[in-house]
Amino acid sequence: MSPHTNELLAHIPDEEFMSMTRNMKLVSLVKGQTLFEAGQIPSEVHYPVGAVASMMIELSDGFSVEAHMFGKACMVGVGTIGVPSFYSAKVRSSGLAYSLPVENLRQAWQTCPGYASASQRAMQRVFRQLSQSVICGKRHSVDQQLIRWILISLDRTLTEIIPITHQELSELLGFRREAVTLALGKLCETGLISCGRGQLTVMDRQKLETLACDCYWIGQEKPRP
């Protein structure tokens, strides 16, 4: 799997790409694996090329909620370089990623202007999407938030299959399992998705996109259909 699969690395100049990837290592990430905890200063960042990781915010009651997800569009480690992380990063879908020591990333910011510019744009998208997720949580229904989550998941991975259970999804989104099951059932009845044991498959992304709220489309590089 080439590092070019990661969109943050895909379009930087060839010389910068060679410089960046020289110190990278291809690793296999496993579902449930913790890349770093809240309060830790990570020693490396990850560029997913198949794996998906969740930005988890820990609550005082012991629960945690997914605030963002990282995949092939970005790197895992946003906002953690040299400072304690405000979130924990946990692998949600098993797959491959390229790891890079933080010290090499810092060097790249100084010597790879194309990458530095792409990284800044990516971080702006992440924080914009974080802000939009707050608005979505306050203004939109469980059904709309679920559709947004499904589409973002597809944007982060390489397949139409999302490995997740109803219980895991309810915990990530912060909804009761019954509400998530009801919303998934509606999408299954219309043929937009199918649900199996421990996974859901998107059958018609195009139609699913027409049902998405504006919160999904803000920050996207393609126009709303």
Side-chain angles (χ1 to χ4, degrees), residues 35-181:
L35 299 180
F36 53 83
E37 296 279 6
Q40 291 183 338
I41 301 178
S43 60
E44 60 183 3
V45 296
H46 291 82
Y47 297 83
V49 289
V52 177
S54 295
M55 173 190 286
M56 303 299 296
I57 304 299
E58 310 294 332
L59 305 178
S60 59
D61 58 6
F63 288 92
S64 58
V65 177
E66 182 185 66
H68 191 71
M69 69 178 80
F70 303 105
K72 64 182 180 64
C74 193
M75 72 174 186
V76 186
V78 170
T80 67
I81 308 304
V83 298
S85 176
F86 65 89
Y87 63 91
S88 61
K90 299 184 183 298
V91 179
R92 180 164 62 75
S93 297
S94 300
L96 299 175
Y98 282 88
S99 65
L100 179 70
V102 167
E103 59 186 41
N104 294 121
L105 178 61
R106 286 175 171 161
Q107 293 172 3
W109 283 343
Q110 301 298 322
T111 61
C112 301
Y115 173 81
S117 178
S119 180
Q120 288 180 342
R121 291 194 301 271
M123 284 190 286
Q124 288 177 342
R125 286 197 301 272
V126 168
F127 289 119
R128 186 176 186 182
Q129 290 167 351
L130 276 170
S131 300
Q132 201 62 38
S133 67
V134 174
I135 297 172
C136 193
K138 290 180 176 294
R139 300 289 296 177
H140 294 140
S141 66
V142 175
D143 295 34
Q144 289 174 307
Q145 292 184 58
L146 176 61
I147 290 172
R148 176 176 177 268
W149 184 91
I150 291 173
L151 290 173
I152 290 175
S153 292
L154 294 186
D155 292 340
R156 302 293 189 267
T157 188
L158 306 174
T159 176
E160 303 297 311
I161 299 174
I162 303 174
I164 195 152
T165 66
H166 290 202
Q167 182 62 37
E168 289 171 337
L169 190 50
S170 69
E171 293 173 356
L172 288 175
L173 296 179
F175 296 124
R176 292 183 300 108
R177 177 175 176 172
E178 294 80 3
V180 169
T181 297

